[in-house]
Each structure stands twice: as structure tokens, then as C-alpha cells.
Amino acid sequence: TDNQGRITCIQGKIKGVYHVLINCYAPNCIATNRAVEEYIDNLNIIKKILEKAPRDAIRIVAGDVNVMLDPQFDSLTPITTEQYRSHKKKAEALAELLQEHDMCDIFREAFPDKKLCTYIPLGNNKHGIYRRLDYIIISYEHIEMVDVPLIEDVEQVTDHKLVRVRITLKPQKNKTTGK
């Protein structure tokens, strides 16, 4: 759904319930104006997809968003003011998307005070970088469908951990009859 292959969207009905599943791989947090513009452009594509979806659709955005929404809890090691400044606008833009579409970070909802990490550089991590850059975002109205989210190590060689949730579909009530 974008020209660089960073956003993939699948839409349709599962068991009669409309779903919008968006996977994103955001650009790395390079501290340039162009990088910030590209990041925000990608979020705008996601916003347009969400705006076109039926209001009662189960909306999920997941993937490597390459930014920390809360450096206090999304970094296991101290982050410098300069590092945070380099992606602050990106974090603000992502937070705005969540607010505009009444969505939440499912891990932060489940673990509001827990430091979480999904990214550790491969090889010699001489700078001690441990960050949470991978998110699963879901609409608040469907949060009760999500079992406790998990962050797991994977056996494959990767610098990211596996992030997963299980969603249990519940029968939808008819909006006019309530049944």
C-alpha cells in the first residue's frame, strides 16, 4: 500500500467480522528532516486506511515502528536527550495516530509500568542498546478480545524479538436489535 514496501494491509471478513490488519516497517530513526517527513508520510497512509475502514472493524496496526512511545519504559538502558530528540517528532506523530483513531498499545495496556524490550542489536552490543520498537496497536473497543500479549526470543538470527497476541473473536451484537 506504499511505494517502498513498508506498509502491508489486509482487509476483509473473518467469521463475519470485518478486520483491517496493517503491518508496517518504519524507517530507522535517522535525525534528518527528510526521515521525519518519510515517517509521517507512512503514518498518513495508515491513517487513510483506518479512516476508510468500517467504524466497527477490528483494526490492528503491528510491526517495527522504529520509535519508542515512552523512553522511560521502552528502553532498558538510559537514553540521551540527543537520542530522544532525534525521534521525538516521530513518537508524537505515532501517539497522535493512536489518539485520533481511539487505539492503544496493547503491551502498555497490559503492562503499564514494565520495562519492555523487543530490539537488541546483533553482534557486539557495545553501546548496550535495548529498546522496544515493535508494537501491536488495537482499537480500544476491541481490547477485551486480546489475551495477554507476549514478547518472546526467537531461534532465528534476528535483532528483534517475537511480539504476539491472540485475539478471540466474540459474536457481534446486532446494532439495531442488541442480540
Side-chain angles (χ1 to χ4, degrees):
T1 54
D2 70 322
N3 61 2
Q4 295 181 334
R6 293 189 175 276
I7 300 169
T8 304
C9 177
I10 299 173
Q11 298 184 55
K13 287 188 176 185
I14 300 172
K15 294 186 177 181
V17 179
Y18 200 85
H19 287 68
V20 178
L21 308 173
I22 302 171
N23 180 270
C24 65
Y25 174 60
N28 291 333
C29 291
I30 302 167
T32 66
N33 288 336
R34 181 62 206 133
V36 172
E37 289 171 11
E38 181 182 344
Y39 191 90
I40 292 172
D41 288 347
N42 284 335
L43 289 181
N44 286 333
I45 291 170
I46 293 170
K47 285 180 183 182
K48 287 178 185 174
I49 294 168
L50 294 172
E51 287 164 3
K52 290 180 181 178
R55 178 66 193 123
D56 60 346
I58 295 176
R59 297 167 288 137
I60 300 172
V61 179
D64 179 356
V65 299
N66 262 319
V67 73
M68 296 174 290
L69 281 171
D70 185 346
Q72 179 182 353
F73 291 107
D74 295 337
S75 179
L76 301 183
T77 51
I79 182 169
T80 66
T81 303
E82 186 59 38
Q83 288 172 324
Y84 183 64
R85 188 179 2 228
S86 75
H87 75 271
K88 185 177 180 195
K89 287 182 182 178
K90 296 175 186 181
E92 289 170 347
L94 181 58
E96 181 181 300
L97 180 142
L98 270 66
Q99 184 177 1
E100 285 178 8
H101 294 279
D102 199 30
M103 299 179 84
C104 67
D105 166 10
I106 196 66
F107 283 89
R108 194 53 61 215
E109 290 294 315
F111 307 107
D113 299 322
K114 186 173 182 178
K115 286 191 173 248
L116 299 167
C117 168
T118 61
Y119 170 78
I120 305 167
L122 294 174
N124 182 7
N125 186 4
K126 65 182 179 181
H127 298 294
I129 297 172
Y130 301 92
R131 308 278 191 257
R132 185 167 78 103
L133 304 176
D134 305 273
Y135 290 77
I136 297 177
I137 297 164
I138 189 167
S139 49
Y140 271 110
E141 69 182 286
H142 297 107
I143 200 170
E144 78 281 350
M145 296 178 163
V146 177
D147 287 344
V148 176
L150 300 172
I151 296 175
E152 303 173 338
D153 291 320
V154 292
E155 294 181 22
Q156 293 80 12
V157 178
T158 177
D159 54 357
H160 291 265
K161 293 184 177 188
L162 176 65
V163 180
R164 70 180 172 117
V165 297
R166 181 175 38 201
I167 296 175
T168 304
L169 294 178
K170 297 181 172 125
Q172 298 283 16
K173 289 184 179 179
N174 182 306
K175 297 218 186 260
T176 56
T177 65
K179 296 180 181 182

